[in-house]
């Protein structure tokens, strides 16, 4: 479904992604973990078409994505950002935020689709005419997910979708993402610095360090400690140490 | 007793309504490490800010006791508070990106904090800033001192903030979500650094966070707040024996690497938690 091959991205003379390759099957879920500055979000942004300065190959469903993405591309691939405070327009109501996409793609049944989108992400219909600042962080992230799903994409790119949220709200959003993936056979690429979040949602993951994907392994192998690269082992040890209460 | 809070209440009043955000919180702190854990909106940051009298004007504070090292905070003047803020109690904020002055080098910001409270020459202050940067484990302190906040990473920015707070040698350090803007590896490093500095200097620490297991590694005691009250207070080492369903819920809803769960348990909020 998704194929990334020898992806290279530079900012000026500084190469931040140095030949990253991975595949995600249809309905699969691939996690990218790494420290800040490792290039994991940069990979995702290039995949979403937010950065047109890359080389290599990014293909969705067998078709290579061009540098400049046509509108129809965004019916297939959508992205959810880290910060639900920054990624929703502060002066648009939820209704406007959700209908924007439908208008751009001239989809019919706006009324019905918005109602459906809100109920899909378990938001009450009453939030429809509210502004983002009138919602809690978790509700805002649900709106962002609803916006991503309203054009019925097959692929969702998730950039740290829960790291700005409380742990209790994080659990709700992670459950929601798992349910949606199953119900709609979505394909996910999830970027996070939290290994536990990745392991919860993705059966397969890649570890990034300094712009390179140093290791790809299954979550089962990770749990069992069958890691090859020292950085993966470090991240694993840290995650285990911190998740158990003292 | 360094900090003594008894029955603290903070309410926000508007023309038509009144909302009580903190409803009778009591806690005491000596030279030890206390963690305050709760969701956003539980009143944990307000409690810490009340202690520094750093609340917005429309907040009404009431308390039977609110004292810092015997000084009554409620009755203290602004002038008196300035002798406490920074000098005797340092406050580390959440996001270094927004809390540092973007048009001054980090060295000069640390030097400013040192000079304000310690009264020395510019030269001494600049030297002290470099020494402090060294203490917070920055590898090349001279180079970093000359850098602007946008030139350094988030983790380094947080170290700079800590260095700034340590400059006047405070007796208490309040860290309000010091690591939520940072990634997992840096998070652990910063908390270890705070832990180490606090133990070495014999300070008191109030660590505010929403990550219960994480806090338990770096604190002696943990107070769990829900909706403006402390619902449970226990030793960090006895967290697994927590009684309150909210505390248990917070512990259970974390995804875990080693104990995979099909679905994450979600908190079922009980109305009875509001008024125990």
């Amino acid at each position: 479904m998704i194929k990334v091959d020898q992806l290279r991205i530079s900012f000026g003379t500084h190469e931040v992604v140095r030949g990253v390759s991975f595949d995600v099957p249809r309905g699969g879920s691939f996690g990218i973990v790494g420290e800040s500055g490792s290039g994991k979000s940069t990979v995702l942004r290039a995949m979403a078409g937010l950065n047109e300065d890359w080389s290599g190959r990014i293909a969705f469903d067998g078709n290579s994505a061009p540098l400049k993405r046509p509108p129809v591309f965004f019916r297939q691939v959508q992205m959810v950002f880290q910060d639900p405070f920054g990624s929703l327009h502060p002066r648009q109501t939820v209704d406007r935020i959700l209908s924007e996409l439908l208008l751009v793609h001239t989809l019919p049944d706006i009324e019905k689709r918005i109602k459906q989108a809100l109920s899909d992400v378990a938001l009450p219909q009453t939030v429809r005419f509210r502004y983002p600042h009138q919602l809690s962080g978790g509700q805002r992230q649900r709106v962002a997910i609803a916006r991503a799903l309203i054009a019925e994409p097959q692929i969702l790119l998730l950039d740290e979708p829960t790291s700005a949220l409380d742990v209790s709200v994080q659990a709700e959003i992670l459950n929601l993402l798992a349910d949606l993936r199953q119900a709609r056979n979505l394909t996910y690429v999830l970027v996070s610095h939290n290994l536990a979040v990745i392991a919860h949602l993705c059966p397969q993951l890649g570890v990034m360090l300094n712009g390179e994907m140093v290791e790809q392994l299954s979550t089962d192998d990770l749990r069992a400690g069958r890691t090859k690269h020292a950085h993966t082992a470090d991240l694993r040890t840290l995650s285990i140490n911190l998740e158990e209460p003292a | 007793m360094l900090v003594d809070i008894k029955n603290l209440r903070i309410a926000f009043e508007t023309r038509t309504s009144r909302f009580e955000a903190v409803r009778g919180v009591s806690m005491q702190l000596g030279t030890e490490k206390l963690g305050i854990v709760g969701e956003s909106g539980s009143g944990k940051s307000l409690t810490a800010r009340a202690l520094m009298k750093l609340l917005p004007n429309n907040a009404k504070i009431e308390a039977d006791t609110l004292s810092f090292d015997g000084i009554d905070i409620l009755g203290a003047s602004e002038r008196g508070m300035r002798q406490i803020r920074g000098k005797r109690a340092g406050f580390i904020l959440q996001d270094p990106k927004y809390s540092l002055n973007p048009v001054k080098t980090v060295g000069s910001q640390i030097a400013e904090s040192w000079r304000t409270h310690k009264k020395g020459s510019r030269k001494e202050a600049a030297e002290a800033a470099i020494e402090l940067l060294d203490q917070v484990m920055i590898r090349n302190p001279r180079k970093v001192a000359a850098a602007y906040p946008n030139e350094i990473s988030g983790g380094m920015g947080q170290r700079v903030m800590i260095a700034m707070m340590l400059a006047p040698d405070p007796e208490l350090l309040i860290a309000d979500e010091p690591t939520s803007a940072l990634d997992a590896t840096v998070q652990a490093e910063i908390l270890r650094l705070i832990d180490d500095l606090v133990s070495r200097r014999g300070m008191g620490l109030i660590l505010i966070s929403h990550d219960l297991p994480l806090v338990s590694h770096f604190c002696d005691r943990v107070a769990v707040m829900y909706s403006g009250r402390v619902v449970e207070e226990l030793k960090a080492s006895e967290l697994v024996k927590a009684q309150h369903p909210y505390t248990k819920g917070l512990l259970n809803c974390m995804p875990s690497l080693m104990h995979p769960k099909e679905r994450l348990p979600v908190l079922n909020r009980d109305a009875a938690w509001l008024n125990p």
Side-chain angles (χ1 to χ4, degrees), chain A residues 35-36 165-168 170 175 179 193 196 223 241 243-244 246, chain B residues 39-40 183-185 210 216-217 254-260 263-264:
Chain A
E35 297 175 29
S36 50
L165 306 174
D166 276 332
V167 286
S168 48
Q170 166 173 285
N175 283 343
D179 293 345
H193 65 80
R223 277 201 189 101
N241 282 341
E243 76 183 26
E244 303 291 341
Chain B
E39 295 168 282
S40 41
D183 63 36
T185 17
H210 64 109
S216 70
H217 285 272
M254 303 277 286
S256 155
L257 181 59
M258 295 320 279
H259 313 285
R263 281 187 78 75
L264 295 171

PDB file of all heavy atoms in Angstrom, chain A residues 35-36 165-168 170 175 179 193 196 223 241 243-244 246, chain B residues 39-40 183-185 210 216-217 254-260 263-264:
ATOM      1  N   GLU A  35      14.310   9.913  18.488  1.00  0.00           N
ATOM      2  CA  GLU A  35      14.385  11.120  19.297  1.00  0.00           C
ATOM      3  C   GLU A  35      14.035  12.335  18.457  1.00  0.00           C
ATOM      4  O   GLU A  35      13.963  12.247  17.233  1.00  0.00           O
ATOM      5  CB  GLU A  35      15.800  11.268  19.854  1.00  0.00           C
ATOM      6  CG  GLU A  35      16.183  10.139  20.765  1.00  0.00           C
ATOM      7  CD  GLU A  35      17.623  10.256  21.205  1.00  0.00           C
ATOM      8  OE1 GLU A  35      18.134  11.385  21.294  1.00  0.00           O
ATOM      9  OE2 GLU A  35      18.231   9.217  21.456  1.00  0.00           O
ATOM     10  N   SER A  36      13.864  13.483  19.104  1.00  0.00           N
ATOM     11  CA  SER A  36      13.594  14.673  18.309  1.00  0.00           C
ATOM     12  C   SER A  36      14.846  14.995  17.507  1.00  0.00           C
ATOM     13  O   SER A  36      15.963  14.840  17.989  1.00  0.00           O
ATOM     14  CB  SER A  36      13.179  15.856  19.186  1.00  0.00           C
ATOM     15  OG  SER A  36      14.072  16.022  20.238  1.00  0.00           O
ATOM     16  N   LEU A 165      -1.568  15.244  24.903  1.00  0.00           N
ATOM     17  CA  LEU A 165      -2.779  14.949  25.668  1.00  0.00           C
ATOM     18  C   LEU A 165      -2.460  14.284  27.001  1.00  0.00           C
ATOM     19  O   LEU A 165      -1.413  13.681  27.177  1.00  0.00           O
ATOM     20  CB  LEU A 165      -3.682  14.022  24.849  1.00  0.00           C
ATOM     21  CG  LEU A 165      -4.044  14.493  23.433  1.00  0.00           C
ATOM     22  CD1 LEU A 165      -4.811  13.416  22.708  1.00  0.00           C
ATOM     23  CD2 LEU A 165      -4.844  15.777  23.499  1.00  0.00           C
ATOM     24  N   ASP A 166      -3.409  14.371  27.935  1.00  0.00           N
ATOM     25  CA  ASP A 166      -3.292  13.656  29.202  1.00  0.00           C
ATOM     26  C   ASP A 166      -3.304  12.153  28.965  1.00  0.00           C
ATOM     27  O   ASP A 166      -3.891  11.692  27.995  1.00  0.00           O
ATOM     28  CB  ASP A 166      -4.517  13.978  30.072  1.00  0.00           C
ATOM     29  CG  ASP A 166      -4.337  15.258  30.828  1.00  0.00           C
ATOM     30  OD1 ASP A 166      -3.190  15.597  31.123  1.00  0.00           O
ATOM     31  OD2 ASP A 166      -5.341  15.912  31.119  1.00  0.00           O
ATOM     32  N   VAL A 167      -2.726  11.396  29.894  1.00  0.00           N
ATOM     33  CA  VAL A 167      -2.681   9.941  29.695  1.00  0.00           C
ATOM     34  C   VAL A 167      -4.073   9.332  29.600  1.00  0.00           C
ATOM     35  O   VAL A 167      -4.300   8.392  28.835  1.00  0.00           O
ATOM     36  CB  VAL A 167      -1.868   9.221  30.804  1.00  0.00           C
ATOM     37  CG1 VAL A 167      -0.395   9.456  30.608  1.00  0.00           C
ATOM     38  CG2 VAL A 167      -2.306   9.641  32.180  1.00  0.00           C
ATOM     39  N   SER A 168      -5.030   9.878  30.350  1.00  0.00           N
ATOM     40  CA  SER A 168      -6.379   9.306  30.322  1.00  0.00           C
ATOM     41  C   SER A 168      -7.039   9.567  28.972  1.00  0.00           C
ATOM     42  O   SER A 168      -7.756   8.719  28.442  1.00  0.00           O
ATOM     43  CB  SER A 168      -7.214   9.899  31.442  1.00  0.00           C
ATOM     44  OG  SER A 168      -7.082  11.301  31.450  1.00  0.00           O
ATOM     45  N   GLN A 170      -5.293  10.168  26.228  1.00  0.00           N
ATOM     46  CA  GLN A 170      -4.480   9.409  25.274  1.00  0.00           C
ATOM     47  C   GLN A 170      -5.059   8.016  25.071  1.00  0.00           C
ATOM     48  O   GLN A 170      -5.168   7.540  23.946  1.00  0.00           O
ATOM     49  CB  GLN A 170      -3.040   9.301  25.805  1.00  0.00           C
ATOM     50  CG  GLN A 170      -2.213   8.260  25.085  1.00  0.00           C
ATOM     51  CD  GLN A 170      -0.762   8.299  25.500  1.00  0.00           C
ATOM     52  OE1 GLN A 170      -0.021   9.164  25.119  1.00  0.00           O
ATOM     53  NE2 GLN A 170      -0.363   7.335  26.299  1.00  0.00           N
ATOM     54  N   ASN A 175      -7.590   4.126  21.553  1.00  0.00           N
ATOM     55  CA  ASN A 175      -8.669   3.160  21.302  1.00  0.00           C
ATOM     56  C   ASN A 175      -9.455   3.537  20.054  1.00  0.00           C
ATOM     57  O   ASN A 175      -9.792   2.689  19.234  1.00  0.00           O
ATOM     58  CB  ASN A 175      -9.622   3.096  22.498  1.00  0.00           C
ATOM     59  CG  ASN A 175      -9.042   2.289  23.651  1.00  0.00           C
ATOM     60  OD1 ASN A 175      -8.100   1.527  23.466  1.00  0.00           O
ATOM     61  ND2 ASN A 175      -9.587   2.472  24.828  1.00  0.00           N
ATOM     62  N   ASP A 179      -9.956   1.353  16.666  1.00  0.00           N
ATOM     63  CA  ASP A 179     -11.296   0.980  16.174  1.00  0.00           C
ATOM     64  C   ASP A 179     -11.495   1.418  14.734  1.00  0.00           C
ATOM     65  O   ASP A 179     -12.008   0.662  13.905  1.00  0.00           O
ATOM     66  CB  ASP A 179     -12.386   1.624  17.035  1.00  0.00           C
ATOM     67  CG  ASP A 179     -12.393   1.072  18.441  1.00  0.00           C
ATOM     68  OD1 ASP A 179     -11.758   0.021  18.646  1.00  0.00           O
ATOM     69  OD2 ASP A 179     -13.004   1.694  19.322  1.00  0.00           O
ATOM     70  N   HIS A 193       7.616   9.495  19.789  1.00  0.00           N
ATOM     71  CA  HIS A 193       8.848   9.228  20.532  1.00  0.00           C
ATOM     72  C   HIS A 193       8.570   8.242  21.655  1.00  0.00           C
ATOM     73  O   HIS A 193       9.474   7.806  22.354  1.00  0.00           O
ATOM     74  CB  HIS A 193       9.442  10.529  21.082  1.00  0.00           C
ATOM     75  CG  HIS A 193       8.581  11.191  22.098  1.00  0.00           C
ATOM     76  ND1 HIS A 193       8.539  10.790  23.401  1.00  0.00           N
ATOM     77  CD2 HIS A 193       7.704  12.204  22.004  1.00  0.00           C
ATOM     78  CE1 HIS A 193       7.678  11.554  24.064  1.00  0.00           C
ATOM     79  NE2 HIS A 193       7.151  12.401  23.241  1.00  0.00           N
ATOM     80  N   ALA A 196       5.954   2.878  23.869  1.00  0.00           N
ATOM     81  CA  ALA A 196       4.772   2.137  24.322  1.00  0.00           C
ATOM     82  C   ALA A 196       3.565   2.440  23.441  1.00  0.00           C
ATOM     83  O   ALA A 196       2.776   1.549  23.127  1.00  0.00           O
ATOM     84  CB  ALA A 196       4.471   2.464  25.779  1.00  0.00           C
ATOM     85  N   ARG A 223       9.452  -6.654  22.013  1.00  0.00           N
ATOM     86  CA  ARG A 223       9.072  -7.079  23.369  1.00  0.00           C
ATOM     87  C   ARG A 223      10.017  -8.143  23.886  1.00  0.00           C
ATOM     88  O   ARG A 223      10.461  -8.107  25.022  1.00  0.00           O
ATOM     89  CB  ARG A 223       7.651  -7.653  23.350  1.00  0.00           C
ATOM     90  CG  ARG A 223       6.631  -6.595  23.425  1.00  0.00           C
ATOM     91  CD  ARG A 223       5.294  -7.066  23.898  1.00  0.00           C
ATOM     92  NE  ARG A 223       4.399  -5.934  23.694  1.00  0.00           N
ATOM     93  CZ  ARG A 223       3.556  -5.842  22.675  1.00  0.00           C
ATOM     94  NH1 ARG A 223       3.424  -6.829  21.817  1.00  0.00           N
ATOM     95  NH2 ARG A 223       2.826  -4.762  22.537  1.00  0.00           N
ATOM     96  N   ASN A 241      11.949   0.778  31.914  1.00  0.00           N
ATOM     97  CA  ASN A 241      12.255   1.339  33.233  1.00  0.00           C
ATOM     98  C   ASN A 241      11.224   2.358  33.677  1.00  0.00           C
ATOM     99  O   ASN A 241      10.890   2.441  34.849  1.00  0.00           O
ATOM    100  CB  ASN A 241      13.622   2.014  33.214  1.00  0.00           C
ATOM    101  CG  ASN A 241      14.732   0.995  33.287  1.00  0.00           C
ATOM    102  OD1 ASN A 241      14.499  -0.145  33.700  1.00  0.00           O
ATOM    103  ND2 ASN A 241      15.924   1.386  32.868  1.00  0.00           N
ATOM    104  N   GLU A 243       8.042   2.781  32.549  1.00  0.00           N
ATOM    105  CA  GLU A 243       6.614   2.479  32.575  1.00  0.00           C
ATOM    106  C   GLU A 243       6.194   1.770  33.849  1.00  0.00           C
ATOM    107  O   GLU A 243       5.029   1.815  34.229  1.00  0.00           O
ATOM    108  CB  GLU A 243       6.183   1.717  31.319  1.00  0.00           C
ATOM    109  CG  GLU A 243       6.565   0.260  31.294  1.00  0.00           C
ATOM    110  CD  GLU A 243       6.159  -0.387  29.965  1.00  0.00           C
ATOM    111  OE1 GLU A 243       6.054   0.324  28.957  1.00  0.00           O
ATOM    112  OE2 GLU A 243       5.934  -1.598  29.957  1.00  0.00           O
ATOM    113  N   GLU A 244       7.121   1.116  34.510  1.00  0.00           N
ATOM    114  CA  GLU A 244       6.760   0.476  35.771  1.00  0.00           C
ATOM    115  C   GLU A 244       6.821   1.519  36.879  1.00  0.00           C
ATOM    116  O   GLU A 244       7.795   2.228  36.989  1.00  0.00           O
ATOM    117  CB  GLU A 244       7.760  -0.644  36.096  1.00  0.00           C
ATOM    118  CG  GLU A 244       7.877  -1.705  35.037  1.00  0.00           C
ATOM    119  CD  GLU A 244       6.634  -2.570  34.913  1.00  0.00           C
ATOM    120  OE1 GLU A 244       5.829  -2.587  35.863  1.00  0.00           O
ATOM    121  OE2 GLU A 244       6.469  -3.208  33.861  1.00  0.00           O
ATOM    122  N   ALA A 246       7.690   2.992  40.424  1.00  0.00           N
ATOM    123  CA  ALA A 246       8.828   2.666  41.288  1.00  0.00           C
ATOM    124  C   ALA A 246       8.382   1.808  42.465  1.00  0.00           C
ATOM    125  O   ALA A 246       7.284   1.957  42.946  1.00  0.00           O
ATOM    126  CB  ALA A 246       9.459   3.947  41.796  1.00  0.00           C
TER     127      ALA A 246
ATOM    128  N   GLU B  39      -4.917  15.248  35.844  1.00  0.00           N
ATOM    129  CA  GLU B  39      -5.160  15.622  34.452  1.00  0.00           C
ATOM    130  C   GLU B  39      -5.143  17.131  34.316  1.00  0.00           C
ATOM    131  O   GLU B  39      -5.146  17.851  35.311  1.00  0.00           O
ATOM    132  CB  GLU B  39      -6.524  15.109  34.024  1.00  0.00           C
ATOM    133  CG  GLU B  39      -6.620  13.612  34.018  1.00  0.00           C
ATOM    134  CD  GLU B  39      -8.057  13.175  33.882  1.00  0.00           C
ATOM    135  OE1 GLU B  39      -8.776  13.224  34.880  1.00  0.00           O
ATOM    136  OE2 GLU B  39      -8.445  12.820  32.787  1.00  0.00           O
ATOM    137  N   SER B  40      -5.217  17.601  33.075  1.00  0.00           N
ATOM    138  CA  SER B  40      -5.311  19.046  32.920  1.00  0.00           C
ATOM    139  C   SER B  40      -6.646  19.489  33.499  1.00  0.00           C
ATOM    140  O   SER B  40      -7.658  18.807  33.362  1.00  0.00           O
ATOM    141  CB  SER B  40      -5.192  19.452  31.462  1.00  0.00           C
ATOM    142  OG  SER B  40      -5.893  18.583  30.635  1.00  0.00           O
ATOM    143  N   ASP B 183      11.063  14.759  24.266  1.00  0.00           N
ATOM    144  CA  ASP B 183      10.833  13.352  23.961  1.00  0.00           C
ATOM    145  C   ASP B 183      11.417  12.435  25.040  1.00  0.00           C
ATOM    146  O   ASP B 183      12.147  12.856  25.921  1.00  0.00           O
ATOM    147  CB  ASP B 183      11.286  12.990  22.547  1.00  0.00           C
ATOM    148  CG  ASP B 183      12.756  13.171  22.350  1.00  0.00           C
ATOM    149  OD1 ASP B 183      13.498  12.912  23.299  1.00  0.00           O
ATOM    150  OD2 ASP B 183      13.157  13.575  21.254  1.00  0.00           O
ATOM    151  N   ALA B 184      11.023  11.159  24.941  1.00  0.00           N
ATOM    152  CA  ALA B 184      11.212  10.227  26.049  1.00  0.00           C
ATOM    153  C   ALA B 184      12.635  10.170  26.607  1.00  0.00           C
ATOM    154  O   ALA B 184      12.827  10.195  27.827  1.00  0.00           O
ATOM    155  CB  ALA B 184      10.748   8.838  25.627  1.00  0.00           C
ATOM    156  N   THR B 185      13.634  10.114  25.727  1.00  0.00           N
ATOM    157  CA  THR B 185      15.006   9.986  26.227  1.00  0.00           C
ATOM    158  C   THR B 185      15.443  11.238  26.971  1.00  0.00           C
ATOM    159  O   THR B 185      16.044  11.156  28.044  1.00  0.00           O
ATOM    160  CB  THR B 185      15.999   9.774  25.062  1.00  0.00           C
ATOM    161  OG1 THR B 185      15.366  10.149  23.855  1.00  0.00           O
ATOM    162  CG2 THR B 185      16.456   8.369  25.001  1.00  0.00           C
ATOM    163  N   HIS B 210       1.492  14.851  34.538  1.00  0.00           N
ATOM    164  CA  HIS B 210       0.311  14.012  34.385  1.00  0.00           C
ATOM    165  C   HIS B 210       0.702  12.558  34.185  1.00  0.00           C
ATOM    166  O   HIS B 210      -0.141  11.703  34.001  1.00  0.00           O
ATOM    167  CB  HIS B 210      -0.575  14.523  33.236  1.00  0.00           C
ATOM    168  CG  HIS B 210       0.086  14.453  31.904  1.00  0.00           C
ATOM    169  ND1 HIS B 210      -0.276  13.573  30.950  1.00  0.00           N
ATOM    170  CD2 HIS B 210       1.117  15.138  31.396  1.00  0.00           C
ATOM    171  CE1 HIS B 210       0.491  13.718  29.892  1.00  0.00           C
ATOM    172  NE2 HIS B 210       1.356  14.668  30.136  1.00  0.00           N
ATOM    173  N   SER B 216       6.695   8.803  39.838  1.00  0.00           N
ATOM    174  CA  SER B 216       7.013   7.943  40.979  1.00  0.00           C
ATOM    175  C   SER B 216       8.502   7.600  41.034  1.00  0.00           C
ATOM    176  O   SER B 216       9.028   7.268  42.088  1.00  0.00           O
ATOM    177  CB  SER B 216       6.182   6.670  40.915  1.00  0.00           C
ATOM    178  OG  SER B 216       6.624   5.865  39.851  1.00  0.00           O
ATOM    179  N   HIS B 217       9.182   7.687  39.888  1.00  0.00           N
ATOM    180  CA  HIS B 217      10.609   7.374  39.888  1.00  0.00           C
ATOM    181  C   HIS B 217      11.449   8.474  40.505  1.00  0.00           C
ATOM    182  O   HIS B 217      12.590   8.238  40.891  1.00  0.00           O
ATOM    183  CB  HIS B 217      11.101   7.153  38.447  1.00  0.00           C
ATOM    184  CG  HIS B 217      10.681   5.845  37.885  1.00  0.00           C
ATOM    185  ND1 HIS B 217      11.409   4.702  38.029  1.00  0.00           N
ATOM    186  CD2 HIS B 217       9.574   5.502  37.211  1.00  0.00           C
ATOM    187  CE1 HIS B 217      10.779   3.698  37.444  1.00  0.00           C
ATOM    188  NE2 HIS B 217       9.661   4.160  36.941  1.00  0.00           N
ATOM    189  N   MET B 254      -2.230   3.647  30.760  1.00  0.00           N
ATOM    190  CA  MET B 254      -1.021   3.852  29.955  1.00  0.00           C
ATOM    191  C   MET B 254      -0.798   2.647  29.043  1.00  0.00           C
ATOM    192  O   MET B 254      -0.915   1.511  29.490  1.00  0.00           O
ATOM    193  CB  MET B 254       0.205   3.965  30.870  1.00  0.00           C
ATOM    194  CG  MET B 254       0.121   5.042  31.904  1.00  0.00           C
ATOM    195  SD  MET B 254       0.570   6.623  31.260  1.00  0.00           S
ATOM    196  CE  MET B 254       2.340   6.450  31.127  1.00  0.00           C
ATOM    197  N   PRO B 255      -0.460   2.888  27.776  1.00  0.00           N
ATOM    198  CA  PRO B 255      -0.051   1.743  26.961  1.00  0.00           C
ATOM    199  C   PRO B 255       1.279   1.227  27.499  1.00  0.00           C
ATOM    200  O   PRO B 255       2.076   1.995  28.022  1.00  0.00           O
ATOM    201  CB  PRO B 255       0.107   2.338  25.563  1.00  0.00           C
ATOM    202  CG  PRO B 255       0.302   3.783  25.771  1.00  0.00           C
ATOM    203  CD  PRO B 255      -0.368   4.160  27.051  1.00  0.00           C
ATOM    204  N   SER B 256       1.483  -0.052  27.389  1.00  0.00           N
ATOM    205  CA  SER B 256       2.703  -0.614  27.948  1.00  0.00           C
ATOM    206  C   SER B 256       3.430  -1.440  26.904  1.00  0.00           C
ATOM    207  O   SER B 256       2.816  -2.123  26.095  1.00  0.00           O
ATOM    208  CB  SER B 256       2.335  -1.476  29.157  1.00  0.00           C
ATOM    209  OG  SER B 256       3.329  -2.447  29.362  1.00  0.00           O
ATOM    210  N   LEU B 257       4.738  -1.358  26.932  1.00  0.00           N
ATOM    211  CA  LEU B 257       5.527  -2.119  25.966  1.00  0.00           C
ATOM    212  C   LEU B 257       5.528  -3.601  26.335  1.00  0.00           C
ATOM    213  O   LEU B 257       5.347  -4.475  25.496  1.00  0.00           O
ATOM    214  CB  LEU B 257       6.962  -1.583  25.939  1.00  0.00           C
ATOM    215  CG  LEU B 257       7.917  -2.245  24.982  1.00  0.00           C
ATOM    216  CD1 LEU B 257       7.429  -2.127  23.562  1.00  0.00           C
ATOM    217  CD2 LEU B 257       9.302  -1.635  25.110  1.00  0.00           C
ATOM    218  N   MET B 258       5.702  -3.873  27.617  1.00  0.00           N
ATOM    219  CA  MET B 258       5.884  -5.253  28.041  1.00  0.00           C
ATOM    220  C   MET B 258       4.577  -5.992  28.317  1.00  0.00           C
ATOM    221  O   MET B 258       4.515  -7.193  28.268  1.00  0.00           O
ATOM    222  CB  MET B 258       6.770  -5.304  29.292  1.00  0.00           C
ATOM    223  CG  MET B 258       8.175  -4.833  29.046  1.00  0.00           C
ATOM    224  SD  MET B 258       8.854  -5.378  27.469  1.00  0.00           S
ATOM    225  CE  MET B 258       9.352  -7.048  27.874  1.00  0.00           C
ATOM    226  N   HIS B 259       3.529  -5.230  28.655  1.00  0.00           N
ATOM    227  CA  HIS B 259       2.248  -5.889  28.946  1.00  0.00           C
ATOM    228  C   HIS B 259       1.211  -5.396  27.953  1.00  0.00           C
ATOM    229  O   HIS B 259       0.418  -4.518  28.268  1.00  0.00           O
ATOM    230  CB  HIS B 259       1.791  -5.584  30.371  1.00  0.00           C
ATOM    231  CG  HIS B 259       2.879  -5.760  31.380  1.00  0.00           C
ATOM    232  ND1 HIS B 259       3.289  -6.999  31.790  1.00  0.00           N
ATOM    233  CD2 HIS B 259       3.669  -4.866  32.029  1.00  0.00           C
ATOM    234  CE1 HIS B 259       4.287  -6.859  32.658  1.00  0.00           C
ATOM    235  NE2 HIS B 259       4.539  -5.576  32.821  1.00  0.00           N
ATOM    236  N   PRO B 260       1.256  -5.937  26.734  1.00  0.00           N
ATOM    237  CA  PRO B 260       0.332  -5.439  25.715  1.00  0.00           C
ATOM    238  C   PRO B 260      -1.122  -5.702  26.111  1.00  0.00           C
ATOM    239  O   PRO B 260      -1.436  -6.731  26.711  1.00  0.00           O
ATOM    240  CB  PRO B 260       0.718  -6.257  24.475  1.00  0.00           C
ATOM    241  CG  PRO B 260       1.450  -7.447  24.986  1.00  0.00           C
ATOM    242  CD  PRO B 260       2.096  -7.042  26.253  1.00  0.00           C
ATOM    243  N   ARG B 263      -7.225  -3.574  24.339  1.00  0.00           N
ATOM    244  CA  ARG B 263      -7.787  -2.227  24.419  1.00  0.00           C
ATOM    245  C   ARG B 263      -7.284  -1.575  25.688  1.00  0.00           C
ATOM    246  O   ARG B 263      -7.065  -2.250  26.689  1.00  0.00           O
ATOM    247  CB  ARG B 263      -9.316  -2.291  24.499  1.00  0.00           C
ATOM    248  CG  ARG B 263      -9.988  -2.516  23.189  1.00  0.00           C
ATOM    249  CD  ARG B 263     -11.480  -2.397  23.382  1.00  0.00           C
ATOM    250  NE  ARG B 263     -11.914  -1.009  23.457  1.00  0.00           N
ATOM    251  CZ  ARG B 263     -12.000  -0.212  22.398  1.00  0.00           C
ATOM    252  NH1 ARG B 263     -11.681  -0.648  21.216  1.00  0.00           N
ATOM    253  NH2 ARG B 263     -12.407   1.033  22.528  1.00  0.00           N
ATOM    254  N   LEU B 264      -7.102  -0.270  25.638  1.00  0.00           N
ATOM    255  CA  LEU B 264      -6.672   0.424  26.842  1.00  0.00           C
ATOM    256  C   LEU B 264      -7.888   0.691  27.715  1.00  0.00           C
ATOM    257  O   LEU B 264      -8.917   1.146  27.226  1.00  0.00           O
ATOM    258  CB  LEU B 264      -6.003   1.744  26.479  1.00  0.00           C
ATOM    259  CG  LEU B 264      -4.707   1.612  25.699  1.00  0.00           C
ATOM    260  CD1 LEU B 264      -4.248   2.969  25.205  1.00  0.00           C
ATOM    261  CD2 LEU B 264      -3.634   0.985  26.559  1.00  0.00           C
TER     262      LEU B 264
END
